[in-house]
Amino acid sequence: MSIRNLHILILVSVAYVAAQMVADIAGLRDLILFGIAADGFSIVYPMTFTLRDMAHKLAGAHVARALIIAAAVTYLVAQAFFAIIAGLPPQMSEAERISLGALLTPEWRFLLAAVLASVISQLVDTEIYTRWARRFGQRNQWGRVLTSNIISIPLDRMLFLVLALAGTISIDRFLELFIGVTIVRLVFGIITIPGIYLVEEHSEDWIKMTQIR
């Protein structure tokens, strides 16, 4: 891998982790998109799947998987710090302290559901991308992103809802929460597809490096 591509990989990796964190913050804002009730999370989060694909293209599946796990750990560590900070004596009124604490410390079931859904769906995205690249090589690179996104984005939403809300909502409510938000996320996921052409395919030298044990 050239120094230039290594620098690009670092930038893409940072953008991937940053997008995960920004999506979480943006999720605090409820929106109506295309007539569908969603939130800011649904705008930013689909971008992470394409950023993962870009890292995969630059450095291969091993690096993409490491990036997925690193982002999940970073997210959990950040939430742990938020929980600690929320419990410290603040320079504010009691009502403000309670509101801030509620904002910084989400329900752990929802938090863990979000992390597990993200890790599993992103790993599935990695496998789909890998299989497409093996079959078609450098042809139809848009297909790598499209195919992996249209499977992994709905999978992420479904896993989150099952892990976070199973046993607490009806099937009709489940479908309502799944279909609308998934459509919005797929739209924004498809918009990001051209990003795959902004990076180069990883070199033979990099492939040999990943085989070193």
Side-chain angles (χ1 to χ4, degrees):
M1 172 179 282
S2 67
I3 294 297
R4 174 180 176 276
N5 282 348
L6 180 59
H7 289 169
I8 294 173
L9 175 61
I10 293 171
L11 292 174
V12 169
S13 300
V14 171
Y16 174 82
V17 176
Q20 296 268 10
M21 304 303 293
V22 171
D24 185 53
I25 297 171
L28 298 172
R29 178 70 170 178
D30 292 328
L31 304 168
I32 297 294
L33 300 171
F34 316 114
I36 299 171
D39 53 34
F41 184 92
S42 299
I43 296 176
V44 182
Y45 184 65
M47 189 185 307
T48 65
F49 289 91
T50 299
L51 286 169
R52 190 225 62 82
D53 291 342
M54 292 168 69
H56 192 148
K57 182 180 177 182
L58 277 163
H62 293 295
V63 171
R65 294 188 189 101
L67 184 58
I68 292 166
I69 301 302
V73 172
T74 300
Y75 179 75
L76 287 173
V77 170
Q79 291 296 335
F81 273 112
F82 289 155
I84 293 171
I85 292 170
L88 294 176
Q91 189 177 352
M92 59 181 65
S93 68
E94 182 65 15
E96 290 173 332
R97 184 191 70 78
I98 293 173
S99 297
L100 179 62
L103 180 65
L104 294 180
T105 53
E107 290 287 339
W108 281 100
R109 179 178 179 180
F110 290 99
L111 173 62
L112 294 176
V115 172
L116 286 173
S118 178
V119 170
I120 293 172
S121 61
Q122 296 273 357
L123 289 175
V124 168
D125 188 277
T126 301
E127 294 306 313
I128 295 170
Y129 181 101
T130 299
R131 292 174 184 274
W132 179 282
R134 285 176 180 170
R135 180 171 182 179
F136 297 101
Q138 296 191 33
R139 294 181 291 112
N140 301 326
Q141 294 183 26
W142 58 268
R144 307 176 185 179
V145 188
L146 177 62
T147 305
S148 60
N149 282 7
I150 62 175
I151 295 175
S152 54
I153 288 177
L155 176 63
D156 178 272
R157 182 61 175 171
M158 182 184 69
L159 287 173
F160 172 77
L161 292 174
V162 169
L163 294 171
L165 299 174
T168 65
I169 59 175
S170 66
I171 295 297
D172 289 341
R173 179 58 176 161
F174 179 92
L175 292 175
E176 180 184 347
L177 292 172
F178 173 76
I179 295 173
V181 171
T182 299
I183 291 173
V184 171
R185 293 184 184 181
L186 283 172
V187 169
F188 284 98
I190 291 171
I191 289 173
T192 64
I193 287 177
I196 197 67
Y197 293 101
L198 298 177
V199 297
E200 298 178 10
E201 200 80 44
H202 59 287
S203 66
E204 291 297 323
D205 291 338
W206 185 254
I207 295 174
K208 293 176 182 177
M209 189 181 302
T210 60
Q211 295 172 346
I212 298 174
R213 296 290 183 269

